[in-house]
Amino acid sequence: MASIEQRVMALVSRSAMIPETEVRLDSELESLGMGSLEQIECIMAIEDELEVELPIADLRKLRTVSDVVEAVRQATADAGPH
């Protein structure tokens, strides 16, 4: 199974409509050509795909791919085992 980083990077790539090779952990979502609407759609796709729910209050803090990965990790840890 792919790591959280790999899965998030693949979903960001798909949302930004760019090759996965152009997405790095330190990439800023905006620099990948994602406006605020695309960022919201990307987060929703990540939530659906990874079966997590990211706190709405934290969404504005998600600037980089790494920020998204950490938010997913935190949401996964908070949810506990299924």
Side-chain angles (χ1 to χ4, degrees), residues 39-58:
Q39 290 178 34
I40 292 168
E41 290 172 344
C42 178
I43 297 303
M44 290 172 59
I46 289 168
E47 288 178 325
D48 288 346
E49 181 81 19
L50 303 180
E51 298 180 356
V52 296
E53 188 170 333
L54 303 179
I56 292 173
D58 292 346

Side-chain angles (χ1 to χ4, degrees), residues 8-80:
V8 167
M9 291 171 74
L11 290 162
V12 168
S13 164
R14 192 178 328 152
S15 293
M17 295 185 281
I18 59 173
E20 263 186 75
T21 55
E22 292 184 27
V23 179
R24 298 186 331 251
L25 287 173
D26 64 346
S27 297
E28 291 188 8
L29 299 176
E30 193 172 297
S31 73
L32 297 174
M34 297 174 71
S36 57
L37 180 59
E38 289 86 8
Q39 290 178 34
I40 292 168
E41 290 172 344
C42 178
I43 297 303
M44 290 172 59
I46 289 168
E47 288 178 325
D48 288 346
E49 181 81 19
L50 303 180
E51 298 180 356
V52 296
E53 188 170 333
L54 303 179
I56 292 173
D58 292 346
L59 297 183
R60 285 195 155 151
K61 299 175 189 174
L62 304 179
R63 301 264 185 247
T64 66
V65 175
S66 181
D67 293 341
V68 177
V69 169
E70 288 307 313
V72 169
R73 280 196 180 124
Q74 186 62 48
T76 304
D78 290 348

